[in-house]
Amino acid sequence: MKEDMHGRVPALADMRAQIRERNYIEIPFLLDRAYFETAAKQFMNFLSYPDTFKSQFHFKLYPDDDGSDVGYVRTISATGKDDKEYFHYHPLIEERYAELIHEDDVITREFFDAAAVIYHNAEESLDAILTEFTAEFPGLREQFFVHNTPRRFYLRFLKYETRGLGKFLARAHYDRGGCTLALSESAPGLRIGVDDAHLQEVTHKEHMAVFMPALRFPELTSFDFPSAWHDVVQSSREQYTENVARWAIVFFADTHDMRAPSTEETHTPRKSKH
């Protein structure tokens, strides 16, 4: 087991057991809920800016990859079930758009400062858990942590539109990349399982993050670590505000040479190999 500033990462045998039981792994995380709540408020403050300002913060980390968005994104679905605003923080955004962050713009500065702290802590936790995997899967860590090239890591701040109690906020899917750390959320709603019939609500614990194998992770390791099928519902009567159902903060990590999957791949549950 590897231990660092974030605590003791589960041994690989324990991670297999957690995946078998509930399709995700709990790992230690340094930051507490109070920090995430403050960062979420700073994100909401940033969203109060006009779209013309927010949308200036946007580029693709890799132009040939439609899933490599960095910065502000708003999506409106045809069904109305997955409307959301989000921001993908990546360290490169600060140097790329330094001229947009004026000294008197406290809102953007505070949001980016908080995002940078969370991003780097998530990167440390990812490093620790991938290192634990490498004894059995040599070279796994290096497929994510490539030297001298921008890492395909994205810290997502996400705001869900209000849809009513029990309504889907995000339809069931696999995350497209290598793996995901679900860090914090304003209210319960994340559900994980092997398919729609086995989705179970996740309860976040203090100083713990939820590690979810994404679509490509079984290919990188083995089918002992199947992709986490998951959705989000508004299952709490205490929505964040009148117009915001909930917020979530999530860290996505892709391998450097990841093949972009199709929508059908990410939204069709696979048969379990267990």
Side-chain angles (χ1 to χ4, degrees):
M1 287 177 282
K2 179 174 179 177
E3 187 170 8
D4 65 2
M5 63 184 292
H6 296 80
R8 188 174 295 276
V9 174
L12 196 57
D14 295 330
M15 289 195 278
R16 273 195 172 90
Q18 289 191 44
I19 287 287
R20 192 175 300 112
E21 177 186 354
R22 58 195 179 191
N23 299 101
Y24 65 87
I25 299 165
E26 288 185 318
I27 65 170
F29 201 81
L30 181 66
L31 302 177
D32 60 15
R33 179 169 178 80
Y35 193 93
F36 288 116
E37 288 178 339
T38 298
K41 289 178 182 178
Q42 292 163 340
F43 169 54
M44 296 298 171
N45 289 339
F46 177 79
L47 292 184
S48 69
Y49 277 134
D51 288 350
T52 51
F53 175 75
K54 294 179 293 190
S55 59
Q56 293 180 90
F57 295 94
H58 182 268
F59 70 100
K60 291 190 184 299
L61 191 61
Y62 290 90
D64 60 344
D65 181 3
D66 288 338
S68 66
D69 292 284
V70 174
Y72 174 76
V73 177
R74 179 164 194 160
T75 63
I76 300 176
S77 67
T79 63
K81 292 181 178 179
D82 201 10
D83 297 352
K84 54 183 177 283
E85 285 182 276
Y86 62 86
F87 194 99
H88 276 179
Y89 177 85
H90 188 285
L92 286 179
I93 203 167
E94 303 235 23
E95 58 186 74
R96 188 178 182 108
Y97 297 113
E99 73 282 358
L100 295 179
I101 310 172
H102 301 294
E103 290 184 7
D104 58 348
D105 184 0
V106 177
I107 288 176
T108 302
R109 184 70 272 155
E110 287 184 343
F111 172 43
F112 280 16
D113 285 349
V117 171
I118 298 172
Y119 181 99
H120 291 300
N121 275 274
E123 196 173 48
E124 289 278 346
S125 290
L126 177 68
D127 190 359
I129 194 167
L130 291 179
T131 298
E132 186 64 30
F133 273 95
T134 54
E136 188 168 331
F137 306 103
L140 176 65
R141 178 193 175 277
E142 286 69 28
Q143 293 186 67
F144 289 85
F145 288 87
V146 180
H147 290 296
N148 300 319
T149 188
R151 292 168 182 165
R152 292 178 183 252
F153 300 164
Y154 313 94
L155 177 65
R156 176 178 290 188
F157 289 78
L158 180 60
K159 184 198 89 170
Y160 292 94
E161 304 287 348
T162 302
R163 289 291 168 234
L165 186 64
K167 302 296 183 182
F168 283 91
L169 301 175
R171 63 184 174 127
H173 64 283
Y174 299 117
D175 288 334
R176 66 188 297 274
C179 54
T180 300
L181 294 178
L183 301 174
S184 190
E185 56 191 4
S186 60
L190 174 64
R191 305 190 305 175
I192 303 175
V194 292
D195 54 32
D196 289 335
H198 297 89
L199 291 170
Q200 297 291 325
E201 189 172 281
V202 175
T203 301
H204 276 280
K205 298 178 182 176
E206 185 75 345
H207 290 295
M208 300 294 285
V210 172
F211 175 91
M212 297 189 292
L215 189 67
R216 301 298 178 208
F217 201 72
E219 301 168 13
L220 300 168
T221 55
S222 77
F223 286 106
D224 287 348
F225 300 96
S227 310
W229 184 249
H230 60 286
D231 70 1
V232 176
V233 296
Q234 180 59 41
S235 58
S236 171
R237 295 184 183 278
E238 297 181 359
Q239 61 188 46
Y240 184 64
T241 66
E242 182 180 354
N243 299 315
V244 180
R246 72 200 294 270
W247 56 259
I249 302 175
V250 185
F251 184 78
F252 299 101
D254 300 341
T255 59
H256 179 66
D257 59 351
M258 191 199 79
R259 175 179 65 84
S262 67
T263 301
E264 183 179 3
E265 285 180 283
T266 57
H267 290 80
T268 305
R270 295 171 168 176
K271 291 184 179 180
S272 174
K273 300 280 184 169
H274 286 303

